[in-house]
């Protein structure tokens, strides 16, 4: 037994000198950009059982719009309703234009409330809360009415500062005036076109160089983004891409002038 003690001591020393496996530290969670705010759908009343709210982030460019992230559907609990959408930083790119859209669906996925126009967001100031306004799909939306302007003029006088147009269908959007006198005039359709004039149009320039014009109610927006644009192919190149968003449809084209 006495002779076994040195052997045990030697084995203990060898065990103490054996390398110890060190686990690498856990990888840090991916950086995220957190969009948050409120979704408003006035006069919603009672929603059917199973109605859910979803908020999505889209990247909008000259070649189209692609979805980047969607929030998990949550029960629609009443207006206003808070939302949070976390997007991995790796999905976002400098100089791109991003918008948020919200919607409320019933239990089988049919839209009940939708956003009439997307809400532009600036990634650089994502910490600021955003309010998303929805309209009722079941309600009959009145068409915007062209209101007479001062002096009895039905349309703005003078040349427009910006002209946007597109095809399929033929459409035109013109911006007149500046600041508080800024107005938007639209025309959609080649034969018997629908013409509308909007007053009190706001203008927002994003860090990416994108300019967004919006009507006072937010239902109609005209987005101008830099980049060569030809309409149709082979025609004179313009320096702006244009997207006209209305409750009825989205129209794409080109623009010229000073946005």
């Amino acid at each position: 037994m006495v002779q076994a003690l040195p052997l045990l001591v030697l084995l203990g020393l060898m065990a103490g000198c054996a390398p110890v496996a060190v686990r690498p530290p856990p990888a840090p969670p991916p950086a995220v950009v957190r969009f948050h705010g409120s979704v408003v759908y006035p006069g919603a009343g009672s929603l059917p059982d199973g109605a859910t709210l979803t908020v999505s982030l889209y990247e909008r460019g000259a070649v189209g719009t692609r979805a980047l992230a969607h929030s998990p559907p949550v029960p629609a609990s009443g207006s206003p309703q808070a939302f949070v959408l976390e997007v991995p930083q790796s999905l976002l790119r400098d100089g791109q234009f991003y918008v948020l859209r919200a919607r409320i669906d019933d239990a089988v996925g049919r839209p009940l409330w939708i956003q009439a126009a997307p809400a532009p967001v600036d990634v650089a100031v994502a910490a600021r809360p955003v309010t998303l306004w929805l309209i009722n799909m079941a309600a009959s939306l009145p068409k915007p009415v062209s209101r007479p302007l001062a002096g009895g003029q039905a349309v703005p006088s003078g040349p427009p500062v910006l002209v946007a147009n597109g095809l399929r269908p033929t459409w035109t959007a013109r911006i007149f005036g500046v600041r508080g006198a800024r107005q938007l005039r639209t025309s959609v359709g080649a034969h018997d076109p629908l013409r509308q004039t909007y007053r009190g149009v706001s203008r927002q320039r994003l860090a990416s160089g994108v300019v967004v014009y919006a009507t006072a109610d937010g239902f109609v927006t005209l987005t101008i983004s830099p980049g060569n644009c030809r309409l149709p192919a082979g025609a004179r190149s313009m320096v702006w891409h244009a997207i006209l968003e209305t409750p009825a449809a989205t129209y794409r084209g080109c623009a010229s002038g000073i946005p």
Side-chain angles (χ1 to χ4, degrees), residues 148-243:
L149 308 181
Q153 297 294 321
V155 297
S157 59
V161 298
L162 178 77
V163 177
N165 53 73
L167 302 173
R168 298 186 300 272
T170 300
W171 67 270
T172 302
R174 294 179 173 88
I175 297 293
F176 295 84
V178 295
R179 298 183 179 87
R182 186 179 295 111
Q183 298 157 36
L184 167 65
R185 186 184 183 192
T186 62
S187 176
V188 179
H191 305 288
D192 190 22
L194 174 65
R195 294 187 176 95
Q196 304 293 342
T197 300
Y198 306 88
R199 304 178 62 182
V201 174
S202 64
R203 174 182 178 274
Q204 180 185 14
R205 179 180 289 275
L206 304 182
S208 59
V210 172
V211 177
V212 181
Y213 296 95
T215 56
D217 55 14
F219 284 178
V220 178
T221 61
L222 176 64
T223 302
I224 307 298
S225 56
N228 291 332
C229 184
R230 293 180 183 273
L231 187 72
R236 179 176 63 88
S237 177
M238 302 183 191
V239 296
W240 305 103
H241 293 274
I243 300 177

Side-chain angles (χ1 to χ4, degrees), residues 71-196:
S71 68
V74 298
S77 58
S79 175
Q81 181 168 348
F83 77 89
V84 176
L85 176 61
E86 293 187 340
V87 181
Q89 179 71 56
S90 59
L91 294 179
L92 306 176
R93 299 180 293 173
D94 293 337
Q96 295 300 308
F97 180 49
Y98 299 98
V99 296
L100 287 174
R101 274 193 181 274
R103 59 183 287 166
I104 295 175
D105 297 327
D106 65 11
V108 296
R110 293 173 298 192
L112 300 174
W113 289 76
I114 63 170
Q115 202 168 327
V121 288
D122 195 334
V123 175
V125 290
R128 298 178 183 174
V130 180
T131 301
L132 308 179
W133 292 82
L134 306 188
I135 58 175
N136 192 343
M137 283 287 292
S140 175
L141 293 178
K143 295 180 179 180
V145 177
S146 176
R147 295 180 175 84
L149 308 181
Q153 297 294 321
V155 297
S157 59
V161 298
L162 178 77
V163 177
N165 53 73
L167 302 173
R168 298 186 300 272
T170 300
W171 67 270
T172 302
R174 294 179 173 88
I175 297 293
F176 295 84
V178 295
R179 298 183 179 87
R182 186 179 295 111
Q183 298 157 36
L184 167 65
R185 186 184 183 192
T186 62
S187 176
V188 179
H191 305 288
D192 190 22
L194 174 65
R195 294 187 176 95
Q196 304 293 342

